[in-house]
Each structure stands twice: as structure tokens, then as C-alpha cells.
Amino acid sequence: KMDGMNVLSVREGMKHVRDYVSQGNGPMVVEMSTYRYHGHSMTDPDKTYRDRAEKNTVRQENDPIKNVRNLLLEHTDATEDELKAIEKDLRAEVEAACERALAGSTPSSTEDLVRNIYLDAEGKDVPQSYIRLPDYEKSIRA
């Protein structure tokens, strides 16, 4: 179990997982404690089980992005202006990726949905005959 809100905890914890699994010890279950700032879906606005004050408190006291920003400012030569420029570039990159995704075509078949999910060591598609979805009846069987 690790603090999923702490990038350093996740990095170090996942190094351990990688080493353990790479040594042939089999799979490992990883539990990360995180906090969702929003509900699960449009039908779950999360207003019934927590209030705005709780979310604001978590954002102020344990926001992962703010925490990393503070670590960089305190322990490296990074400046506030440099971090703002990086954030601006990242936001533009994400926006461009969203626009490309929205402009793309809708998959025309089940085969399109299961392509390029798993790749081999050379980066070639490894077709999957079955993909389990949360609703078992809607799982994809190619």
C-alpha cells in the first residue's frame, strides 16, 4: 500500500514492485490511497457524501501537483517562472491531444476496439481475443 497522492512514494513503491516482479516472484497487488476531487460520473456529483469544504481542505493540504511544485522549488534550481512555462506547455499538449482525439473517427468494429492495446517487445500489436469490461455482459470477445 502506498500514498497515491505522493509522487515520490509512488515512484519508490513502484521500483520495489518492478524489482520484485522482475525477479520472477509473480504478480503483486498494488493499493494506492488517493482522493477524487470529483464524483465517479455525471450521475454521481458526490454532493451527498462530502461537502466542498472537505475537497478544498484536501486540495490545500495534500494536492499532489502543488506538493511536487513545492518540492521542486525548495530542493532544485527550478524557478516559479520555469514551472509556469512547463505547465503552460503541458496544458497546450493535452489540449492538442484532446482535439486530435475528438477529431478522430469512431471505431467501426469490435476489431478496431481491441487493436493496439497490447504490444510485443518490437512494438507490434498483439491481438486479444477477449477484453473484460466492468459489465461482464458487455465484455469484448473478438
Side-chain angles (χ1 to χ4, degrees):
K1 181 175 182 171
M2 60 188 83
D3 179 0
M5 301 289 276
N6 182 321
V7 68
L8 298 178
S9 172
V10 171
R11 182 187 68 185
E12 294 306 309
M14 293 311 295
K15 280 182 184 178
H16 170 72
V17 170
R18 180 198 60 212
D19 293 344
Y20 178 86
V21 172
S22 296
Q23 293 169 5
N25 294 307
M28 181 180 277
V29 174
V30 175
E31 178 183 355
M32 291 193 199
S33 300
T34 61
Y35 187 88
R36 279 182 302 99
Y37 294 121
H38 306 285
H40 287 282
S41 66
M42 296 299 286
T43 59
D44 171 31
D46 80 1
K47 293 182 188 332
T48 58
Y49 50 90
R50 59 186 178 175
D51 60 20
R52 183 173 292 192
E54 176 188 331
K55 290 185 274 188
N56 287 339
T57 299
V58 173
R59 278 188 199 258
Q60 290 171 359
E61 296 176 4
N62 198 24
D63 183 83
I65 295 172
K66 187 171 91 174
N67 291 343
V68 168
R69 173 184 284 278
N70 290 339
L71 284 171
L72 290 170
L73 290 170
E74 291 173 24
H75 301 287
T76 71
D77 293 333
T79 67
E80 188 70 43
D81 289 341
E82 289 171 327
L83 296 180
K84 284 181 183 178
I86 290 169
E87 185 175 351
K88 183 178 177 183
D89 290 345
L90 288 173
R91 287 183 186 278
E93 184 178 334
V94 168
E95 181 65 31
C98 289
E99 289 173 6
R100 284 193 309 277
L102 291 170
S105 61
T106 303
S108 59
S109 69
T110 300
E111 187 176 308
D112 284 346
L113 288 173
V114 299
R115 200 172 324 162
N116 294 316
I117 294 175
Y118 298 98
L119 304 177
D120 64 18
E122 288 81 42
K124 294 189 173 124
D125 185 33
V126 177
Q128 302 296 304
S129 60
Y130 175 76
I131 296 181
R132 173 72 160 88
L133 297 177
D135 180 344
Y136 178 77
E137 297 302 317
K138 294 180 181 176
S139 294
I140 299 170
R141 294 161 185 84

